[in-house]
Each structure stands twice: as C-alpha cells, then as structure tokens.
Amino acid sequence: MTRVLVVVASQTGRTRRMAEALAEGARAARADVVLRDAGDVGDDDLLSADAVVVGSGVHMGGIEASMRAFLARTSPLWLQGRLAGKLGAAFVSAGAGGRGGAELALVSLHATLAEHGMLLVSMPSRLEGFAEAGCHWGPMAWTHPRGGTPGPTAEHLAAARAHGRHVAECTARWLRGADT
Ligand SMILES: Cc1cc2nc3c(=O)[nH]c(=O)nc-3n(C[C@H](O)[C@H](O)[C@H](O)COP(=O)(O)O)c2cc1C
C-alpha cells in the first residue's frame, strides 16, 4: 500500500483543516496516511513514507517557525540521502488574500524537499478547486483581507482533497514502475 506522511504546522487550525482534507483525498486513492504535527515527526515517520506532504500557515511572508524547525531537524537524513527518491508536495494556509507570501511559502517548502532529492508533485490546473485555491506549487487556503469567510472555504478544502488524491495516485504509479 502507498504510504503518505502529511506534516502540518498550524497555530490556529486552518492549515490543519487543509491537511485533513488532503489526507482524506489521499485515502480515497487507497493510500495509508499518517498525519503529524511538525513538532511530533520522528525519523521513522519520514523513512517509512513513500511520499511526504508538508503544509504550513504563512507567517511574516514565509513558513511558520515550527515547520522551519522540523525541516532543519531533517538535515541528518539529508546528509545520508535517506529521503532521496520519495515523492514530495506542499500546501499552505494564508491571510492577506493569499498575497502575503503564500506562494513564497510554497516555494520554500518545495525547495527543502528538492534539497532532499525528492520528486516534487505540482498541482495540475485540471484538479477540482484549482480556480479558487490552486497554485501550480500546491493548494493554498486564504482569507480575504477585508473580511468575508475565513479560509479554508469549501473550495479550498476541495483543492486540498484533490491534490491529496493526485499525490497518492502519482506515488502509486511511481512505486508500480519501480517494481517492474
Ligand atoms: C504571527 C502571524 C503572522 C502572519 N503572517 C502572515 C503573512 O505574512 N502573510 C499572510 O498571508 N498571512 C499571515 N498570517 C495569517 C495566517 O497565515 C493565516 O491566518 C493562516 O490561515 C493561519 O494558519 P493556521 O490556522 O494553520 O495557523 C499570519 C498570522 C500570524 C498569527
């Protein structure tokens, strides 16, 4: 079975709701999903995963401190190349209409996954929810700067679900190829 690890840094719960939707989508593609807070991830979680999906609230134009700390803790695995060849993907939750660094945060998450030699899964525009919450780097929830419904909205969650399914399907396809 495809194993997907979802790691989330969420101070007020919005990114966590995106993580849960993404996990639901991956499970719909028959993946075995483990969801962990960034502070609780052990090396075994990372090593046993076929795909690692990281998500963070956007803070001060970038990723949240607990996600940065988690990524820094993976450096011993980087030294040994232990995560190379796994699939990786990202998602975020932001304020400021998504224009306060959400895309930069996504790129920053992808950069660390790439540093590990992981295969990056982008978000195709055909996926459900892409028009409302899609970015080619991954799904992003956001809140309108002048009020309105705080994210994640139903559309944002649909985008996260669709991306989770997509990541799980890509991982399964990759593993099947590796077997043959
Ligand atoms: C300390 C702090 C800094 C923030 N900085 C930004 C920012 O620079 N850009 C942005 O778009 N949103 C920013 N936000 C809003 C959060 O990204 C947004 O509320 C997000 O959904 C929070 O996710 P969480 O509920 O998972 O913690 C900030 C929130 C806090 C508390």
Side-chain angles (χ1 to χ4, degrees):
M1 194 185 244
T2 309
R3 287 160 303 186
V4 176
L5 172 67
V6 181
V7 181
V8 64
S10 178
Q11 226 171 57
T12 61
R14 299 188 198 291
T15 322
R16 185 159 185 105
R17 284 167 61 203
M18 289 290 278
E20 283 161 1
L22 193 139
E24 192 184 313
R27 287 194 186 103
R30 294 193 296 278
D32 179 15
V33 182
V34 172
L35 174 53
R36 292 260 190 271
D37 287 322
D40 297 337
V41 183
D43 283 1
D44 287 351
D45 293 319
L46 288 159
L47 293 171
S48 62
D50 301 307
V52 180
V53 188
V54 287
S56 177
V58 178
H59 277 198
M60 305 313 294
I63 60 175
E64 208 200 274
S66 67
M67 175 56 70
R68 175 53 62 206
F70 155 68
L71 294 173
R73 283 197 306 278
T74 65
S75 53
L77 297 177
W78 167 79
L79 276 172
Q80 300 162 13
R82 303 285 299 278
L83 304 184
K86 295 180 186 292
L87 277 75
F91 61 100
V92 295
S93 177
R99 295 185 295 271
E103 189 170 354
L104 289 172
L106 280 168
V107 173
S108 172
L109 292 169
H110 272 286
T112 303
L113 302 178
E115 186 65 26
H116 276 291
M118 295 173 74
L119 308 170
L120 308 182
V121 183
S122 59
M123 185 176 187
S125 57
R126 66 172 170 77
L127 294 190
E128 188 186 352
F130 186 90
E132 296 81 12
C135 171
H136 49 211
W137 304 111
M140 56 164 78
W142 49 275
T143 295
H144 195 283
R146 297 220 177 85
T149 316
T153 63
E155 289 85 4
H156 301 166
L157 294 171
R161 215 172 286 119
H163 198 48
R165 186 178 188 126
H166 178 63
V167 171
E169 286 171 353
C170 289
T171 308
R173 206 173 307 155
W174 169 252
L175 293 175
R176 263 202 316 276
D179 284 346
T180 53

